[in-house]
Structure formats: C-alpha cells, structure tokens
Amino acid sequence: MAYIHAADGTPIYYREQGSGPPLILLQGLMLTADGFWTHNLEQLSRSCRTIAIDHRSHGQSGKPLGPHSIRQCAEDLKDVLDALEIADATIAGVAFGAMVLLEYRRHFGNHRIARLAIIEAQVRLTNDEGWEHPTFGDFPAEAGAGFVAACHESRDALTGFLAGAFGTPPGEAEMARMQHEAWLTPTAAAIEFVEDMIAADYRDDLASIDVPTLLIYGRMNNVPIPSEIGQWIAEQIPDARLERFEDAGHSPFYEQPERFNRLIAEFANG
C-alpha cells in the first residue's frame, strides 16, 4: 500500500502502476481507487504512469472527523502531486472527481497539470434562472435540502445513487461489490461532501481553462445527467473536445471500457 500524508496528517492512499506520462485518476463519490477502475487500470498503465487516489474518508485513505469538502480534496490532490514530484500530468475526474479537479484548478491553476479529462461532470447541481442543465433535469434547492435531511435520518438515502449510474446495470453481485465500497465512506463524511456538491458552482470557471481538455459523457439512460451539458461545457472551454458515448450511461469508463481507455491513453500521451 502507498500513502502520502496530507498537510493535516491524513493519510491519502494511492495506487500507482505503469510508466509513461503521468495520468491521475479521481473517481466518484464514495467509491474507491482499487474498485472503481477495475476495467481501466491495467489497460491505461500500459502506456501511462497511472495513479488512482482515494479521496479522504474513501476506501483506504484516512477517515478524519473533518473537514470534508471539495476544497479539502483538491488540497489533498496537490499534496500528492507535490510529494510524488509529478509534472505535466493529465488529471481525469469522474463526477465528484471532476469537481475536485475543477476546484484544484480554481485555487492552484495549472500547477503540475498539462491536460484535463472531465468525465460525467456537473458544474451546478441545482436549478437556477436560465440554467438548462441541472442534475436529473430538474433539481430545486428544496430537493437538495430534502435529500441532505433524509441522509441525516438514514444511510438508505445514500445507497440509491448506484442504481442510476449505468445505462445498462451490471449484475447483482457486481452492484453489491460497489455498494460495499461505498460503505467504506462514513455517513457523516458523505453528507458533508454532498452538501458541498450541492452548493458548488463551476460555470464561471470554465472559460479560463487553458490546457487541452477532453470531455466524456454517456447518453444512454443517463439519469443524473439527462441533458447535453457536455456540449454546453465544450462551448465554454476554449478548444475542448467532446466525446459522447451513445451506448453508455453515467459510467462510460465501466460500460464502454475499450473505447474509454483508448481515448484517455491517446489524450494523456498527447
């Protein structure tokens, strides 16, 4: 097992394999470096130095009482990049992981970054005047507050997110494995992260991105992101490249791994 200690002493677990240009993988909320990339790590490590990181209070990383925020995860990411002396990295983030990379860039610019791969990212979850791409197609602030309240009452509210993560769901045993991974994140930490995600807004940050950017979005039965937000984001980021996965939902890395791995490896290798 490999760890870097964050500035506050929290051990941050990372899994590293392969050689080549550095590729940093940031997975979704409550999922793990070892379990999230089961269809990707081996292939990507054939041409990249691939490093998958467990966010704090996820997987094998330390589980402090707090703080738990997107900003804190971005600071942890910087600590890992600095400790490993990584330069010119491709940072690839899925959903929550993409919010972490956007937060990182907001505070640290292009420090150690050469490219961004933004995968199934939301840049504002809740409804807003003139905003056509909220989560689920319609997500009032009241619904967000209600969800957080439900999480305080029961962990069950946090278990439903996997059901909508696939255009074609995997088998029962595989879903159970993923759910087990999600349980490794303490409920209190997950709630803090969810609250921060609901409050986040990265729309105004996109135009300032000045490194090559690859966008990947699934278009089949995509419950969390039913709209063409990928196209909207591509129009905000100068020279961004959008790849749609018509036969995958919110998890194109899992549902269409061969195409996903090829795209990411080619992109990371410049």
Side-chain angles (χ1 to χ4, degrees):
M1 293 185 185
Y3 289 89
I4 293 297
H5 283 83
D8 68 349
T10 300
I12 303 299
Y13 169 80
Y14 68 95
R15 176 175 174 174
E16 179 176 359
Q17 59 192 86
S19 60
L23 170 63
I24 314 301
L25 302 176
L26 305 174
Q27 55 273 0
L29 185 67
M30 297 190 294
L31 296 170
T32 73
D34 289 331
F36 192 87
W37 306 102
T38 54
H39 295 344
N40 315 111
L41 278 173
E42 292 298 328
Q43 289 290 332
L44 291 172
S45 66
R46 293 178 182 177
S47 61
C48 299
R49 178 189 177 190
T50 305
I51 300 169
I53 300 171
D54 273 343
H55 307 295
R56 62 174 50 214
S57 290
H58 288 63
Q60 298 187 65
S61 283
K63 297 171 174 61
L65 294 177
H68 293 99
S69 66
I70 302 169
R71 170 66 183 271
Q72 184 62 64
C73 290
E75 292 178 359
D76 295 342
L77 171 60
K78 181 177 182 296
D79 290 338
V80 172
L81 296 178
D82 287 347
L84 297 179
E85 299 182 343
I86 292 172
D88 299 326
T90 297
I91 312 291
V94 178
F96 177 77
M99 299 181 97
V100 171
L101 71 82
L102 290 171
E103 187 76 14
Y104 177 97
R105 197 180 174 283
R106 175 182 285 180
H107 295 285
F108 306 116
N110 294 334
H111 177 68
R112 300 190 182 276
I113 291 177
R115 297 174 180 81
L116 299 177
I118 298 174
I119 304 151
E120 286 296 313
Q122 180 55 276
V123 292
R124 180 186 170 96
L125 272 69
T126 55
N127 295 357
D128 189 29
E129 184 176 357
W131 178 233
E132 299 178 355
H133 306 287
T135 299
F136 311 122
D138 182 25
F139 193 44
E142 297 80 6
F147 178 74
V148 170
C151 292
H152 280 280
E153 294 295 324
S154 171
R155 176 85 184 199
D156 289 346
L158 289 166
T159 63
F161 79 99
L162 278 174
F166 302 93
T168 303
E172 184 176 335
E174 184 68 350
M175 288 290 280
R177 178 189 68 81
M178 295 177 187
Q179 193 60 66
H180 174 77
E181 290 179 16
W183 272 101
L184 296 175
T185 300
T187 301
I191 290 172
E192 286 188 73
F193 284 131
V194 168
E195 288 179 316
D196 209 32
M197 292 171 70
I198 291 172
D201 191 337
Y202 296 103
R203 291 176 294 178
D204 291 341
D205 295 24
L206 300 174
S208 69
I209 294 176
D210 56 358
V211 295
T213 303
L214 174 65
L215 305 169
I216 294 177
Y217 283 83
R219 303 311 312 135
M220 183 177 73
N221 300 330
N222 194 328
V223 175
I225 303 180
S227 74
E228 286 288 349
I229 190 174
Q231 181 61 47
W232 184 87
I233 294 175
E235 292 168 359
Q236 314 308 308
I237 301 175
D239 301 319
R241 170 187 170 192
L242 172 63
E243 292 285 343
R244 294 182 178 88
F245 280 59
E246 302 295 342
D247 297 326
H250 192 48
S251 302
F253 57 92
Y254 186 94
E255 297 179 77
Q256 296 289 322
E258 291 185 5
R259 181 186 173 198
F260 178 89
N261 294 338
R262 183 177 68 254
L263 285 171
I264 295 293
E266 290 174 352
F267 181 64
N269 278 273

